Amino acid sequence: MQKFPMTGPGLERLEDELRKLKSEERPAIIRAIAEARSHGDLSENAEYHAARERQSFTEGRIQELEEIVSSAEVIDPASLSGDQVKFGARVKLVDEETDKEATYQIVGVYEADIKQGLLSISSPLAKSLIGKSIGDTVSVPAPGGDRTYEILEVIYR
């Protein structure tokens, strides 16, 4: 079975989503299907078909989350140290072309959210950062041409 590296907060978010789908969404869909059935002919009942489609999507997501959660390998960034970039590290970078600074935490594929600074371990930027140290520069292929970043800080907490 494949293990999915993940941070504790990332696993908690997925477990919360799973709990909500099972305890709130699933019962609401069952009620919607029962209500739609009570309206008669199912062949032309748009409410019934919409509820069944929602049920199919929800059950698929529950199955996916159960697999991810059961295969999660939680890695605590606070237990790591050093100046090399590893999974879980917060990395402060500066774009050498624009001088714009950004900080990202390298996290598992299923918890990534770039808007919150959570960078997937499988992203080109994270792949280029792994194993590098403070002061190193990395080049990352981007649609408008390669981008070069300098690592300013590596934080484990």
Side-chain angles (χ1 to χ4, degrees):
M1 180 189 299
Q2 182 182 358
K3 290 286 187 184
F4 300 110
M6 194 170 291
T7 63
L11 179 60
E12 286 175 22
R13 281 191 296 278
L14 293 179
E15 287 173 335
D16 287 346
E17 181 184 353
L18 180 58
R19 217 175 351 270
K20 184 177 180 192
L21 287 173
K22 285 180 163 182
S23 66
E24 296 173 24
E25 190 68 18
R26 188 184 261 167
I29 292 169
I30 291 169
R31 286 191 299 276
I33 289 172
E35 172 71 24
R37 275 194 175 136
S38 71
H39 295 170
D41 185 11
L42 298 181
S43 64
E44 295 181 19
N45 188 330
E47 287 176 22
Y48 174 77
H49 292 289
R52 292 291 302 203
E53 193 171 304
R54 199 168 117 213
Q55 180 184 39
S56 176
F57 173 80
T58 300
E59 292 301 326
R61 182 65 178 157
I62 287 171
Q63 189 175 10
E64 178 184 34
L65 286 171
E66 285 175 336
E67 182 179 326
I68 294 166
V69 167
S70 69
S71 301
E73 180 181 352
V74 176
I75 297 171
D76 181 7
S79 69
L80 304 172
S81 64
D83 65 350
Q84 271 197 333
V85 178
K86 302 176 204 132
F87 179 90
R90 288 186 193 283
V91 184
K92 186 175 183 180
L93 306 169
V94 63
D95 184 319
E96 293 192 333
E97 187 177 308
T98 65
D99 283 335
K100 184 178 176 192
E101 291 184 6
T103 302
Y104 299 106
Q105 181 178 18
I106 299 175
V107 298
V109 173
Y110 296 105
E111 60 184 314
D113 183 347
I114 199 68
K115 290 177 185 160
Q116 294 189 17
L118 302 174
L119 186 64
S120 169
I121 186 78
S122 66
S123 71
L125 178 55
K127 286 179 179 179
S128 67
L129 291 170
I130 296 294
K132 300 293 191 285
S133 300
I134 296 169
D136 288 351
T137 56
V138 296
S139 182
V140 182
D146 287 4
R147 305 294 296 235
T148 305
Y149 300 93
E150 181 182 349
I151 301 172
L152 301 177
E153 196 173 2
V154 179
I155 307 156
Y156 292 100
R157 59 179 143 102

